[in-house]
Amino acid sequence: MIANWTTAPIAKLTEKVGSGATPRGGEAAYTLSGTPLIRSMNVVFFGFKRDGLAFIDDYQASALDGATVRANDILLNITGASIGRVTLAPHDMDGARVNQHVCIIRPNTCIDSRYFRAYLSSPALQSKIWADNTGTTRQALTKQQILAFEVPIPPLAEQRRIADKLDTMLARIAAMNCRLARVGPLLKRFRQSVLAAATSGKLTERWRTQMNAPSWSITTVDTVAAVGTGSTPLRSNTDFFAAIGVPWITSAATGQSLVTTATENVTDLAIAVHRLKRYPVGTLLVAMYGEGKTRGQVSELGIEATINQACAAIVVDESRMLRSFVKLALRANYLQMRDLAEGGNQPNLNLSKIKAFPLPAPSMDEQAEIVRRVEFLFTYVDRLEARLQAAQSATERLTPSLLAKAFRGELVPQDPTDESSNELLRRQAAAAPETAKRGKKVTA
């Protein structure tokens, strides 16, 4: 144990530990204003999320008086996927209530609330929260479990020095994360700009003049490629799908630029019965169905495969147009492709729309130059994205590392003149009966 440090269970460090309840009537009882009701979605590490903050009227609030929040109370999520998330109640949440998924932990005078919150956020304590003594994932924390958690207790002055240092360092990490988060969208927009310049002629405008290349024309997909689709074999027939067989690709795979594996395989019998065509390596796939970003996505087969009816297969005649150019032209016009979808709640593309989709038609030499330039620029962006991911991974490790260092006593220097934590706890224990006598009951 570090000099002047000790440990104590949460039961000895708190005035209150308890959660709330769902208001009568559930979400129907929420109002546009009134007393804030803090739910698990509002509790985030080292912050407070105001999106989704609910409100209840005075009648509902009075029924939850026992779950009243004070400023700087510690709020801990005790159920579900967000179990263990912890924060401090902001000053403007003084008087708010919590529901049954959030526990109020009110520190006594032995422990600084910021220090306490930080320890509850640390890898050491989070690992205890997430696993019970059988090693399985914990779904809920009980009050008894919370009260039993042991907390390292430095002298109070050192707790405050640790909390101050963490506030400074974590603010820098947060600022760094914000800056890094802005880079990804910039790189994505750069890719889109490159594709737009490539398919509008701007990327090779000077090259075209220097090489005295012919002007562009417009063609359609079916002029330069054969377009087809596939189908889904009857799943109730166990002879149609097998662990080993011909790869069968669905529209979900179009999220990859190059499809090299399949999650399912079909048999020769399924191919014969459903007249499935085996598409060669290099076939371009366009997702015709799918919600979100799927519809309109473009990928390329890196394996010979069959496909389902949600994909259009484009087999480019490279004597007419380079496959690599067709792929980037389709990717550049992803949004225009999506706009062609028809139908009610779930609009879809169809083969006639794919076949008639317009393509710019530069000379073959210019197509090759465009592809070369795009690949060069995208390779550069790939390197930047790899560096970004490495930086983001490094910053994700900073906070746990910093917290671990803090609670090993390595973040700030110890001061031998600080009152020891044992003396601090003795004073608190002696003061507790006097507090109770004055009618200020301490609960835990």
Side-chain angles (χ1 to χ4, degrees):
M1 178 61 64
I2 305 160
N4 280 345
W5 286 40
T6 188
T7 62
I10 286 178
K12 291 186 176 182
L13 304 172
T14 50
E15 296 179 2
K16 176 184 177 65
V17 173
S19 59
T22 298
R24 294 184 184 91
E27 291 189 8
Y30 296 166
T31 57
L32 296 177
S33 61
T35 300
L37 177 70
I38 299 172
R39 299 176 289 169
S40 57
M41 69 175 67
N42 307 120
V43 177
V44 296
F45 288 111
F46 297 99
F48 186 82
K49 185 178 179 182
R50 297 176 186 275
D51 294 347
L53 185 64
F55 296 88
I56 52 178
D57 60 25
D58 291 344
Y59 172 76
Q60 296 281 6
S62 65
L64 290 173
D65 274 347
T68 301
V69 174
R70 293 182 189 168
N72 286 324
D73 277 349
I74 294 168
L75 305 178
L76 173 68
N77 286 353
I78 55 175
T79 65
S82 66
I83 188 172
R85 282 206 312 240
V86 61
T87 194
L88 287 182
H91 285 279
D92 63 340
M93 289 296 112
D94 194 293
R97 307 294 194 267
V98 297
N99 70 3
Q100 73 274 24
H101 303 297
V102 180
C103 180
I104 298 170
I105 301 177
R106 185 166 298 148
N108 62 26
T109 57
C110 285
I111 190 164
D112 181 89
S113 59
R114 295 174 302 147
Y115 172 90
F116 201 173
R117 178 270 313 270
Y119 182 69
L120 292 177
S121 305
S122 71
L125 200 282
Q126 286 291 308
S127 65
K128 294 177 183 177
I129 288 175
W130 272 96
D132 65 17
N133 54 15
T134 65
T136 57
T137 300
R138 194 194 301 276
Q139 296 300 315
L141 280 172
T142 66
K143 179 177 178 179
Q144 288 69 32
Q145 288 166 336
I146 295 170
L147 292 173
F149 286 140
E150 291 281 334
V151 180
I153 308 297
L156 192 57
E158 187 174 345
Q159 291 179 36
R160 290 168 181 156
R161 292 197 298 273
I162 291 171
D164 289 343
K165 185 72 170 181
L166 285 173
D167 284 348
T168 299
M169 298 299 292
L170 292 173
R172 291 176 183 173
I173 293 172
M176 188 186 310
N177 283 329
C178 286
R179 288 194 292 270
L180 290 174
R182 291 196 290 267
V183 176
L186 289 175
L187 294 177
K188 183 178 180 180
R189 285 199 292 273
F190 179 76
R191 285 184 185 274
Q192 292 168 340
S193 297
V194 168
L195 288 173
T199 54
S200 67
K202 291 182 180 179
L203 188 63
T204 48
E205 189 171 24
R206 183 176 298 178
W207 180 93
R208 193 162 49 252
T209 300
Q210 291 172 345
M211 303 301 293
N212 197 27
S215 59
W216 290 24
S217 60
I218 299 295
T219 188
T220 57
V221 170
D222 63 348
T223 302
V224 299
V227 182
T229 188
S231 66
T232 299
L234 191 65
R235 290 191 175 276
S236 59
N237 190 327
T238 57
D239 293 329
F240 285 169
F241 291 89
I244 299 175
V246 179
W248 181 72
I249 307 299
T250 69
S251 59
T254 59
Q256 310 166 55
S257 179
L258 184 67
V259 180
T260 56
T261 59
T263 57
E264 294 183 278
N265 300 294
V266 292
T267 62
D268 289 339
L269 179 61
I271 291 172
V273 171
H274 288 272
R275 298 181 180 178
L276 288 171
K277 184 175 180 181
R278 298 182 188 224
Y279 289 102
V281 172
T283 299
L284 303 180
L285 301 181
V286 177
M288 295 192 293
Y289 308 167
E291 296 305 305
K293 298 179 180 179
T294 303
R295 189 175 63 254
Q297 286 182 155
V298 180
S299 62
E300 182 178 346
L301 284 180
I303 52 174
E304 182 183 87
T306 60
I307 62 175
N308 75 351
Q309 69 279 6
C311 294
I314 301 174
V315 182
V316 178
D317 179 351
E318 293 209 87
S319 68
R320 296 176 179 270
M321 186 170 283
L322 296 180
R323 179 179 71 246
S324 51
F325 179 78
V326 174
K327 183 178 180 180
L328 70 84
L330 292 173
R331 289 178 63 190
N333 292 286
Y334 163 76
L335 294 177
Q336 292 88 327
M337 179 77 76
R338 286 178 63 84
D339 288 343
L340 295 176
E342 296 177 340
N345 294 330
Q346 295 182 338
N348 296 316
L349 294 165
N350 56 52
L351 286 183
S352 63
K353 298 287 187 183
I354 302 291
K355 290 177 180 179
F357 195 75
L359 295 173
S363 67
M364 295 291 277
D365 286 343
E366 189 168 356
Q367 290 175 40
E369 180 64 16
I370 289 170
V371 169
R372 186 191 68 79
R373 293 188 181 196
V374 170
E375 288 179 347
F376 173 81
L377 291 169
F378 277 14
T379 299
Y380 176 70
V381 176
D382 288 342
R383 289 199 296 268
L384 290 178
E385 286 177 335
R387 293 175 65 182
L388 172 63
Q389 290 173 3
Q392 289 174 324
S393 296
T395 57
E396 285 175 3
R397 294 191 295 270
L398 281 177
T399 296
S401 175
L402 186 66
L403 291 171
K405 187 175 182 179
F407 303 111
R408 291 196 304 265
E410 299 172 0
L411 189 64
V412 299
Q414 280 80 48
D415 186 341
T417 65
D418 287 340
E419 179 188 41
S420 74
S421 53
N422 281 321
E423 182 60 30
L424 180 66
L425 290 171
R426 279 195 292 269
R427 285 197 299 102
Q428 172 63 30
E434 294 301 319
T435 303
K437 287 177 183 178
R438 291 195 299 270
K440 297 179 181 178
K441 186 178 180 181
V442 177
T443 61

